[in-house]
Every structure is written in structure tokens, then in C-alpha cells.
Amino acid sequence: MVNKKADVVRVYLPPDANCLLSVTDHCLRSRNYVNVVVAGKQPAPQWLTMDQAVRHCAAGVGIWEWASNDRGGEPDVVMACCGDVPTLETLAAVDLLRRHAPELKVRVINVVNLMTLQPPSEHPHGLSDHDFDALFTTDKPIIFAFHGYPWLIHRLTYKRHPHDHIHVRGYKEEGTTTTPFDMCVLNDLDRFHLVQDVIDRVPKLGARAAYAKQAVRDKLMEHKEYIAKHGDDMPEITGWQWGQEAKSSGVRSTEADNV
């Protein structure tokens, strides 16, 4: 669809239930556009309140302050996500990083409107270079989890200043009859591979992250053994919740705490 004319095509990947409601309302009210909405059929998490979701979807992309800890300074790494499953895995990865490397400054960016990644010269919804650089930085590693083919993100951002620092995890034609989380693992889109990416690409972690990397590697092995034996994902995966620190900020509804 992104090969079609920019003045016609709109592509949305809502990260949660409220964003899906906001995007759907917007699309049903629009005229003379081809609107693509990428959403799952399973119960969706609820990371944002309805008011927050409306503002986030109107902007198309933004920093999730409640999941970030870089306010007042430069981040060490930018964790970007686009799509419901990539958003879940990114937040779980950030949660792991907070436990294993609490000194790490992480900025979490969620993309709802895919075409904001393009320059405004290519798409009317595109962010200006100044705004893009302010969000993503120009020199920090950007770990981008995407619900699609990784090459598409590179295609949309190749003119951006920080393009060389964008490292995308997405669908790479891996899949079989397996568990939902294992599908993420097969495509290196899971929380553990995202944590490994951060460890490998943030110089300040260095040897101090050796234990964290080993713990992540062990978890991936434990995951494989568990699904082979039980045919389902580990309870700590299916029952994962955002950390207590984020919950206390009041940015998520009670319903989201069941995710």
C-alpha cells in the first residue's frame, strides 16, 4: 500500500485498544482515502487512557514518558515500536533493562501513523527533520520493533539524519504452528532479543552487561524447553505486567493491569 500515492494512502498500527478505537473512529469519518489499519483479533492491552490515546493518535508518533526514564537528559538508547505485539515486547524489554541496567537512560517512542516516518516532502503526515531528530536523536542507537518487514522502516527513513543508527526487528518470513510468543522469538522480535540488541549497541554497558546477556540467553533456552514440553508459553510471558513503577504513575487503566 505504501507504493500508492501519498495523498491517498494512510497506514495505522494502533498499539492498544483505546488507540484502535480512536484510529477506527478517524478512519470511518474520513473520505477519499485508503486507510490501512493493522490490528489483531485477540483482546488488546490498554496502555493509554482514552484521552491520551486520542492525543497520541492525532500526533501519529510520540514519546511515552511513563515508560521512559530519560527526561531532563539525553537517552542512551531509543526503543521505538510500531504495532500491538512489537509495543508489548518493547515494553517488556524496557522492564527487563530496568532490572538489569537501572542506570541506563531509555526513551520509548511509539509510532501509530506509519507515514510520519517519511519526510513531509514525501507524505503530508511526515514529520519535519527537526521534529524527527528531536524525537529519535541523531546519534543514539535506535532499536525499532516493527509489525512488518524491517526493510519498510529503512525505506521510509533512509533520508533521515539518524538512519544509520536505526536497527529494525520485524517479520523475516519465519513461522510455523507454534505459540504466539515463539513466533516473536523465531523472528527475533521478542523482548529477549531486543534486550540483546541494546546490550550490543550501547557502549557504556560493556562488560557490565555480561551477566544480563547470559540471563537473557538462558531465558530463550528455557522458553524453548518449556513450549516443547507444555505446548504453551511460560506463565511469566503470558502473565507479564508493566512494572510497579509505571503502574503507580496512573497512566494505565485498571483493565490494563490484567495484561
Side-chain angles (χ1 to χ4, degrees):
M1 290 305 301
V2 297
N3 291 326
K4 308 304 180 183
K5 290 184 177 181
D7 57 351
V8 172
V9 173
R10 306 287 184 263
V11 182
Y12 303 98
L13 292 95
D16 73 348
N18 282 337
C19 288
L20 177 57
L21 287 173
S22 177
V23 164
T24 303
D25 177 72
H26 170 75
C27 291
L28 291 176
R29 294 173 187 273
S30 69
R31 295 290 185 272
N32 303 318
Y33 292 124
V34 177
N35 293 301
V36 179
V37 180
V38 181
K41 58 186 179 182
Q42 302 299 327
Q46 191 167 306
W47 307 114
L48 306 178
T49 66
M50 196 67 240
D51 289 341
Q52 290 170 332
V54 170
R55 291 193 296 268
H56 182 51
C57 293
V61 57
I63 299 172
W64 280 7
E65 293 186 32
W66 54 270
S68 307
N69 65 349
D70 69 316
R71 190 177 181 90
E74 284 284 317
D76 297 311
V77 63
V78 175
M79 301 290 285
C81 47
C82 184
D84 52 1
V85 173
T87 298
L88 172 64
E89 291 305 309
T90 294
L91 291 173
V94 172
D95 193 32
L96 286 170
L97 288 169
R98 287 189 176 184
R99 294 185 221 166
H100 293 287
E103 77 283 1
L104 191 71
K105 297 300 181 183
V106 181
R107 176 178 296 177
V108 178
I109 294 178
N110 183 264
V111 179
V112 182
N113 184 343
L114 185 65
M115 309 317 290
T116 59
L117 298 178
Q118 280 196 310
S121 59
E122 300 294 329
H123 195 281
H125 288 179
L127 289 177
S128 68
D129 285 337
H130 180 271
D131 289 342
F132 190 94
D133 294 348
L135 278 176
F136 291 93
T137 76
T138 58
D139 59 349
K140 305 299 181 184
I142 303 165
I143 311 301
F144 202 123
F146 176 52
H147 200 133
Y149 292 102
W151 57 261
L152 179 56
I153 299 300
H154 289 294
R155 173 184 164 186
L156 296 175
T157 61
Y158 80 98
K159 290 184 177 181
R160 300 296 194 175
H161 297 140
H163 176 255
D164 290 344
H165 301 285
I166 298 176
H167 312 283
V168 188
R169 292 290 186 179
Y171 183 60
K172 57 178 189 178
E173 299 287 356
E174 294 293 340
T176 183
T177 303
T178 185
T179 68
F181 182 71
D182 196 46
M183 282 291 291
C184 292
V185 174
L186 290 174
N187 289 278
D188 297 340
L189 186 57
D190 61 283
R191 62 199 69 182
F192 301 125
H193 279 97
L194 294 176
V195 169
Q196 285 181 336
D197 274 351
V198 173
I199 293 172
D200 290 341
R201 301 184 187 281
V202 178
K204 68 177 289 184
L205 292 177
R208 291 179 298 167
Y211 288 98
K213 195 166 186 178
Q214 180 171 304
V216 166
R217 186 169 60 246
D218 291 346
K219 274 297 179 184
L220 284 169
M221 294 179 64
E222 182 183 345
H223 155 73
K224 287 295 185 184
E225 293 170 356
Y226 188 92
I227 64 171
K229 182 178 180 180
H230 300 280
D232 199 1
D233 289 320
M234 295 186 293
E236 66 188 82
I237 298 296
T238 57
W240 175 84
Q241 297 182 14
W242 177 248
Q244 187 62 41
E245 178 183 343
K247 287 182 188 177
S248 64
S249 66
V251 296
R252 294 177 58 203
S253 69
T254 304
E255 180 182 343
D257 294 341
N258 296 323
V259 176

